[in-house]
Amino acid sequence: MIDAAQNQAGASRSLGFLLEALNLHADKAAVLAYQAQGVRQMSCRQLHDLACGLAAGLRKQGIRQHERVIILAHNSPEWLVACLAVIAAGAVAVPVDVQLEDTVLAHLLADSQAVCVFTESEQVERLRRLSPGSDLSVFLLDGHEDGRRHWRQHLVEEWRPLPSLAGDDTALLFYTSGTTRLPKGVPLSHANIAFELQAIAALGLLGPGDRVLVPLPLHHIYPFVAGMLLPLLLGAPVVFPSSLTGPQLMRALKEAQVTAIVGVPRLYRALYSGIVSQAEARGCLAGWVVKAAIALCAWLRRLRLRPGKVLLWPLHRRIGPRLRLLACGGAALDPDLAWKLEGIGWGVAIGYGLTETSPLLTAKPPGDLRFSSVGRAIPGVEIRIDPAAIPAEEGVESAAAGEARMEGEIQARGPNVFGGYHHLPEETGQAFAGQGWFKTGDLGFIDHSGRLTITGRLSSMIVTESGKNIQPDTVEAAYASCPEIREIGVLQKDRRLVAVIVPDADVLGTGQDVRRALRLAVREQSGRLPSYKRLADYVASGEPLPRTRLGKLQRHLLKERYDQLKAGQTPNSGGPVRLEAMSDQDRALLGNALARQVWDLLVRRYPGRRLSPDTSPQLELDVDSLEWLNLTLAIRQETGAELREEAIGRVASVRDLLQEATKAGCSGKVSGGIDFLDNPEAVLDQASRKWLRPLGRSWSWLAWLVFMPVRLAMAGMFRLQVAGLENLPGRGAFVLTPNHVSYLDPFALAAALGYRRLRHMYWGGWTGAAFSTPLRRGLSRLAQVMPIDPDQAVMSSLAFGASVLKRGQGLIWFPEGGRSPDGQLKPFKPGIGILLEHFDVPVVPVVIRGTFEALPLHRHVPRPHRVTVTFGEPLSPTALEVEGEGPDAPTRIATALQQRVAKMISRLRSR
């Protein structure tokens, strides 16, 4: 057990001393709130006077002591005013997440029995809908100040005297973050918070000269206490970024001269990834140098040296020259990431606690480099381990240092521990072990130095059929080490270990082999684990796993997600996510008019689909390579933004798509941009255009020398027979569309056409075969083959075909997109329909027979077999569009053309 310090000072105090501290700091800045344009500032005296004036106004409106007042709004100076006013009035402040689902918000409105709510204009109608017939008073924190409901209309100039506040009075009612079915109300007294503030201040992490960036929503107890109340008490300004986008965070860090951040692991992971990504954007060498420098500084930091501030000074100057402290809570911080952040030159402080403990129980200050632990108990708090909470098998283990350790449930006692859940006496009784010991539900052990290490969560422990106790996060960490896996949530289903996996589209790409690559990665990683930790099954999810705003995995939702995906259903189907349910970052993104246009286009284009910024276009909207082409064309027509293939290649989510469209619009690639069908060569870079240049005289002779052995081989070994050559147009643009069953098909077709015709024709050749080696690229140049990539470069591939037809030349195009594995005709890709709809040139169906028998998919050496090439009658794209079926003209043309080729094959077989 960690012995409690006997310092109980402040344990019975109220938060009135916080208002006194604000008055004492007077003209010092209390809050800096960055907006899209400019920054708003409020001094400590202004905050004090406004809070006291509004507190008097609330009393005048009939708000009495102990009544609950909800604050449903985004971080802002007005949020602080409202919260402090409610506390000063003797009422109970209830901070609530604006992103709550309607069912949860309705529960909170009813459970809290709130009489008043401070909110924003966009929430008013929602509140009316969720609380019909109630007497809930609504005060607005935004909008025009002359509005009847605006909070400033209720300020009272003469605000003395305010009610006296007692330490055991409830000051705040927080609701748990939602890792359970319905959030539970956690009342915290003035004494709980006062003690916590005094204990954290005694740690010396912050001082009056600091400036604290708070990117987290204040409805969580961790940023509320450590990021808002503590800085205000010390006279250190609180800094709110305008949004959580990288540029806005960087702006706030630099302009506000931030010295400390109150954040969570996901924020710091994104910060580090952003540093590496920016370096890699300047080139592979630059990325390698930055990562190597950080690794070196992290290694030296393990030796108690701190060279990062000097060696990486350009990085500090770019991000925030005064930034020194990264406070981390809310979830476990990866030790490897912590070392990297320390290596860069920042001090990393870690805290552990719960909403029920106000929140801090333990703290690891920056000088303590034991990142596997969460530090020692703060003064005045006792912590003990109850090994009886878990089976004896896991109760005693051997620690890394060799000493025995006792592992069990972490229990805590101290002035910061709450008295019980709101309106839930049964749950309250289950939460305490007697004599004031609160059962945290977390598992861990205390080492010989008094440091606490968290090993898991009691409620999430999985007991296998063999009796093994498994913490799912250890299994998740093992599988998450695979680069192919972005996120994973492990659960137990029918006594088996299963998982919901979010693949990493950046690693796996967007082709047809994504699922196969993921399956191989899971299988390979399973082989490295003990049998009882291996997954028996998994499902792939295109959406991120459900998490709280602080990044905690909501495990109770995993089973539903798993069952839905296993049944082939889309989780949370039913249209686009509500704007108010999005993060501040995504709301800011959709504040851009162009991004909002693209979002509205997606909503119309994919009706009934679950659509959120995290939705994967590839996995959840079934956007394949050709649909990307159609979608980008629709975006250009709708917004004028021109999305190129390199931008599409960076898109792994709807959020990425909105950002890329915004960049394209801002860079001037708007209406009047390139039409890849009308001006195809403008889409192609200089290296690509060389494949369209005619062969010179010397190259033509070399091409003839290569062609002659091909013709002789086809005539001799394969006894080539040709029919229907009279159907070929004499001059002008036209298209040949042969079936494709073998690598011999191009050679048979070339021999059937003859060298003279071939000199005026171009081929579409798959990059994976015709351009895979220098020799093949050289032969492709002689044969006038253009590089076609139907999976990754549809626009440029079709631009090659459009260039040929626009020049009035012949085009040979394999419309199936690849070889048939069984010799049967495959569906035609709509790409051929796009070309034919635009150019309306004759199209000649071609049937090649015998090549599959001579060189099928699995053989590498051909065998002699008769080959025939039959040219059908020229067809009109207009007539094909009338014949075909499909939602658009290109699809109708492609399907009708495929049916014509199928009929030719059937007739030839019947002869």
Side-chain angles (χ1 to χ4, degrees), residues 731-746:
R731 61 178 63 183
F734 64 96
V735 181
L736 300 183
T737 55
N739 63 318
H740 196 12
V741 293
S742 169
Y743 276 144
L744 283 179
D745 294 338

Side-chain angles (χ1 to χ4, degrees), residues 169-191:
D169 286 341
T170 300
L172 298 156
L173 178 60
F174 281 93
Y175 279 84
T176 53
S177 55
T179 55
T180 55
R181 284 290 175 184
L182 281 175
K184 293 180 289 189
V186 180
L188 297 174
S189 68
H190 285 264

Side-chain angles (χ1 to χ4, degrees), residues 320-385:
R322 294 190 60 202
L323 182 60
R324 64 172 184 83
L325 175 67
L326 306 181
C328 186
L333 179 66
D334 180 11
D336 182 61
L337 175 61
W339 279 114
K340 290 173 180 175
L341 298 173
E342 281 274 350
I344 290 173
W346 296 315
V348 177
I350 296 175
Y352 161 70
L354 298 87
T355 304
E356 292 88 340
T357 58
S358 305
L360 206 61
L361 289 173
T362 70
K364 186 209 72 63
D368 185 348
L369 301 181
R370 291 280 295 272
F371 292 116
S372 59
S373 82
V374 291
R376 299 181 175 92
I378 62 174
V381 170
E382 296 175 276
I383 293 180
R384 72 179 185 182
I385 301 298

Side-chain angles (χ1 to χ4, degrees), residues 483-672:
E484 295 86 354
I485 296 176
R486 176 170 290 178
E487 284 187 286
I488 178 173
V490 172
L491 66 153
Q492 192 174 39
K493 179 74 173 177
D494 299 328
R495 304 285 291 175
R496 300 186 308 156
L497 212 60
V498 299
V500 180
I501 294 177
V502 180
D504 194 324
D506 294 337
V507 175
L508 294 173
T510 60
Q512 298 297 318
D513 294 331
V514 170
R515 288 178 174 81
R516 179 175 178 272
L518 179 61
R519 185 169 61 253
L520 291 175
V522 171
R523 184 184 304 166
E524 182 178 347
Q525 186 62 19
S526 294
R528 303 189 182 104
L529 297 174
S531 59
Y532 64 90
K533 286 189 176 183
R534 295 174 185 170
L535 294 179
D537 192 14
Y538 72 89
V539 291
S541 173
E543 282 199 354
L545 299 181
R547 296 183 182 274
T548 68
R549 295 283 293 277
L550 294 189
K552 293 181 181 178
L553 183 61
Q554 294 178 302
R555 294 193 179 276
H556 68 282
L557 298 178
L558 281 180
K559 182 180 182 299
E560 181 182 5
R561 174 78 64 91
Y562 176 86
D563 290 341
Q564 287 178 328
L565 290 168
K566 196 66 180 174
Q569 302 171 3
T570 301
N572 303 318
S573 59
V577 67
R578 293 179 293 105
L579 186 64
E580 59 266 21
M582 296 184 188
S583 67
D584 295 343
Q585 176 182 356
D586 293 328
R587 288 159 58 93
L589 175 59
L590 285 171
N592 180 281
L594 194 146
R596 187 56 184 263
Q597 281 183 283
V598 175
W599 172 264
D600 292 340
L601 170 64
L602 295 175
V603 172
R604 296 193 306 271
R605 193 175 183 91
Y606 305 103
R609 299 287 191 94
R610 171 68 173 176
L611 193 65
S612 76
D614 293 306
T615 296
S616 167
Q618 296 88 354
L619 295 177
E620 296 173 89
L621 301 181
D622 299 323
V623 180
D624 58 13
S625 54
L626 195 66
E627 173 60 8
W628 269 125
L629 177 62
N630 295 329
L631 180 57
T632 53
L633 291 175
I635 289 174
R636 187 183 64 188
Q637 183 176 6
E638 183 89 9
T639 69
E642 184 81 36
L643 285 173
R644 299 297 188 87
E645 285 174 345
E646 60 269 20
I648 296 171
R650 295 190 292 265
V651 173
S653 67
V654 167
R655 181 184 297 109
D656 297 334
L657 177 60
L658 299 179
Q659 290 171 340
E660 292 295 342
T662 302
K663 289 178 189 176
C666 292
S667 61
K669 299 173 184 176
V670 293
S671 53

Side-chain angles (χ1 to χ4, degrees), residues 91 130 272 287 347 692 696:
L130 296 178
Y272 175 76
L692 293 168

Side-chain angles (χ1 to χ4, degrees), residues 158-171:
E158 295 296 330
W159 40 265
R160 292 183 178 86
L162 291 174
S164 59
L165 307 175
D168 57 356
D169 286 341
T170 300

Side-chain angles (χ1 to χ4, degrees), residues 1 57 74 111 283 350 354 434 457 563 586 626 665 707 879 894 898:
M1 180 192 296
H74 295 86
D111 186 72
I350 296 175
L354 298 87
R457 183 80 181 157
D563 290 341
D586 293 328
L626 195 66
F707 170 78
Q898 193 262 356

